[in-house]
Each structure stands twice: as structure tokens, then as C-alpha cells.
Amino acid sequence: MKKKQDIRHRILIRFTEEEYALVKDNVTKCRLFTQNYFRMLIKGRRPIESPGDDYFELDHNFHKIMINLLQISGKAYMLNMKEYGLMWDVEQAFNRHCTRIMKLMLRLKIT
């Protein structure tokens, strides 16, 4: 279980309109709360942009397809079908390809 941080200090920072707009834009792109965004910067970590909604929709669709493949292979196993081995191979290949596609999308920032 994560220990709750003892946060006692507050810093007031003033920004120009242009600086504030940049901060808000970056916070929105990273899908972070402003305080978490600044905590990452203070700790020397550069927040990265969150993938777009299309990425998460694609990930959700891959997940649904994977569940269907698992159900099909489970049914084949229950029926003691010889094709179960083939289904397992297809499932594993699909999983590898999905992982590669998602990594490429993140690298190319396709949204």
C-alpha cells in the first residue's frame, strides 16, 4: 500500500497569460493534474503527452478481440478439439502483432 504523502507547503507562482496558456496546454496534453505535472518536472522527469482517444479506442477493440479469441480457444479445449493448438498459435501471434502495433502508434504518436 502506498504511503500518503505529508504535503504541508504551498508555493504561489505568477505567470503571464502566454506562460499560463503553455502550462495549461501541456497539462491537458499529458492528461495530468497541474500539481502532478509540476511535481514530475521538479523531480527531473519530463511528462510525456498522452496518446489520443483513437489510441485508447483501438486498444479497447484489440482487447475485445483478444477476449473473443480466448473464449474460442477455451471452448475448443473444452471440446477436446485438435485445432486447439492452432487456435493457441493464432492467439499468440495476434497478441504479438497487437503489441507491436500499439508500440508503433505510441512511437509515431498516431492519434
Side-chain angles (χ1 to χ4, degrees):
M1 189 165 136
K2 202 171 188 180
K3 187 177 179 181
K4 191 172 180 178
Q5 292 178 339
D6 183 20
I7 301 173
R8 296 182 188 187
H9 305 283
R10 177 179 280 193
I11 297 174
L12 176 66
I13 302 174
R14 296 184 190 272
F15 293 108
T16 64
E17 288 297 324
E18 183 181 322
E19 292 169 336
Y20 184 72
L22 284 171
V23 167
K24 277 306 197 188
D25 187 46
N26 287 339
V27 167
T28 303
K29 286 179 183 176
C30 294
R31 295 186 183 196
L32 292 170
F33 291 112
T34 306
Q35 62 188 3
N36 293 339
Y37 178 79
F38 281 111
R39 282 191 181 113
M40 287 182 76
L41 289 174
I42 289 167
K43 292 177 182 176
R45 298 191 329 226
R46 183 175 171 264
I48 55 174
E49 289 184 22
S50 178
D53 292 333
D54 292 341
Y55 172 84
F56 291 108
E57 182 180 346
L58 184 61
D59 183 51
H60 178 70
N61 288 334
F62 281 149
H63 183 70
K64 289 192 322 191
I65 292 169
M66 195 66 195
I67 288 173
N68 287 340
L69 284 172
L70 286 171
Q71 289 174 345
I72 291 168
S73 64
K75 184 71 169 181
Y77 179 77
M78 293 288 286
L79 297 174
N80 199 18
M81 297 175 72
K82 293 180 181 179
E83 292 85 15
Y84 172 71
L86 176 63
M87 285 302 300
W88 178 256
D89 294 340
V90 169
E91 177 184 325
Q92 294 301 314
F94 178 78
N95 192 21
R96 281 194 311 274
H97 291 303
C98 287
T99 303
R100 287 176 55 202
I101 289 170
M102 300 303 264
K103 285 180 181 177
L104 281 172
M105 284 181 62
L106 280 176
R107 195 175 322 143
L108 299 174
K109 295 187 179 180
I110 295 174
T111 57

